[in-house]
Amino acid sequence: MMLAVFAILGLILGSFCNVVISRGPVLWGLSEEPRPQGPFDLSRPRSHCPSCKRTLAPAELVPLLSYAVLRGRCRQCGARIAGRYPLIELLGGLAGIAAVLCAPGVAGAAFLLGFLLLLLAAAAIDAETGYLPDALTGPALWLALLAAAAGLSVPPGAAIIGAAAGYAAFRGIAGGYAALRGREGLGRGDAKLLAAGGAALGPLALPFVVLASAACALAVIAAAAARGRPVEGGTALRFGPYLAGGIALVLLAEAALPGRVVPPWPLL
Ligand SMILES: [Zn+2]
């Protein structure tokens, strides 16, 4: 029962993530796309086809099902609907299922689902724009600190030290890299995202998160090189999606097997 409720909740919130991913960059000034005329926020104007501007009927807004029934095309103008929409909805539904399977209790599952969805939206926006918005990494950090205060994750002291250590580690590496190479290697958004991960998992989890993220990123670079794409030191890689994936993996593993993945924080 709880599994079904969280799966459906994840699908619906995943659908809302799509709105955030589409409009957030314009709302927060991270996109070169001009702000449309008239009222523009996360709820206005109503969801519409980007091609023919027709407002979508409620039956066209059902997560996954509408895309399948419409076969990925607008009913009126036949324009292709980006595959990102059903993908994000699917990942939202899977996040709901994973949250219930990994966390004991409703409150723990609700925290996991909320945190995973913030990671998902942040990762998708970074993949599309190259920016990790504060409007998403900030709430992720606060949500993790609140969960620690409510006894849903690590002890509060570990959450605070984890957040500071995550931020400081990436800012330190970024500063060192910039001084050595004379160009920016790691964005500030990556440091804020790792701070949120440290708050959710405690400082001892950070090496696992960074290793998991770097392994995924290297695998993608190796795959690109194998297909004959040139890879050099200056080749830009948006690290946010990998970092979000690494945090999500360690978070779910740690929720499912408490104390077995990350050593318990001994001090606070
Ligand atoms: Zn259309």
Side-chain angles (χ1 to χ4, degrees):
M1 179 59 195
M2 193 166 135
L3 198 61
V5 169
F6 268 76
I8 293 169
L9 193 62
L11 284 171
I12 294 170
L13 292 173
S15 184
F16 180 67
C17 277
N18 273 319
V19 179
V20 174
I21 295 161
S22 301
R23 302 186 186 183
V26 179
L27 270 178
W28 302 322
L30 303 175
S31 163
E32 278 161 28
E33 216 177 297
R35 212 184 153 104
Q37 303 258 312
F40 183 76
D41 54 33
L42 292 179
S43 62
R44 295 170 304 170
R46 298 274 311 280
S47 293
H48 54 272
C49 167
S51 182
C52 66
K53 312 290 179 211
R54 180 181 56 94
T55 300
L56 298 180
E60 293 169 277
L61 293 168
V62 183
L64 292 183
L65 278 182
S66 297
Y67 185 85
V69 169
L70 295 167
R71 298 198 188 160
R73 288 186 181 278
C74 170
R75 203 175 59 192
Q76 178 167 289
C77 71
R80 215 163 239 307
I81 304 168
R84 190 251 288 162
Y85 288 89
L87 177 67
I88 295 290
E89 288 162 0
L90 180 67
L91 289 172
L94 291 176
I97 292 170
V100 172
L101 293 181
C102 293
V106 178
F111 159 60
L112 271 187
L113 177 58
F115 195 81
L116 290 173
L117 289 170
L118 285 168
L119 291 180
L120 178 61
I125 288 180
D126 193 20
E128 285 188 4
T129 68
Y131 291 104
L132 278 168
D134 288 350
L136 294 170
T137 53
L141 172 63
W142 289 113
L143 179 63
L145 291 174
L146 285 174
L152 296 173
S153 57
V154 293
I160 294 168
I161 295 170
Y167 186 79
F170 266 19
R171 287 308 295 154
I173 294 170
Y177 183 89
L180 278 174
R181 306 293 290 271
R183 64 165 182 258
E184 193 91 2
L186 258 178
R188 264 166 217 279
D190 294 313
K192 291 172 189 170
L193 186 59
L194 191 60
L201 283 158
L204 297 182
L206 292 172
F208 296 90
V209 167
V210 173
L211 273 179
S213 318
C216 295
L218 285 176
V220 169
I221 293 173
R227 276 182 313 199
R229 300 238 197 106
V231 176
E232 298 157 12
T235 302
L237 175 80
R238 286 163 185 176
F239 195 53
Y242 303 105
L243 190 55
I247 293 170
L249 279 180
V250 178
L251 188 65
L252 288 172
E254 179 59 25
L257 302 165
R260 304 263 194 85
V261 181
V262 178
W265 176 246
L267 299 181
L268 291 160

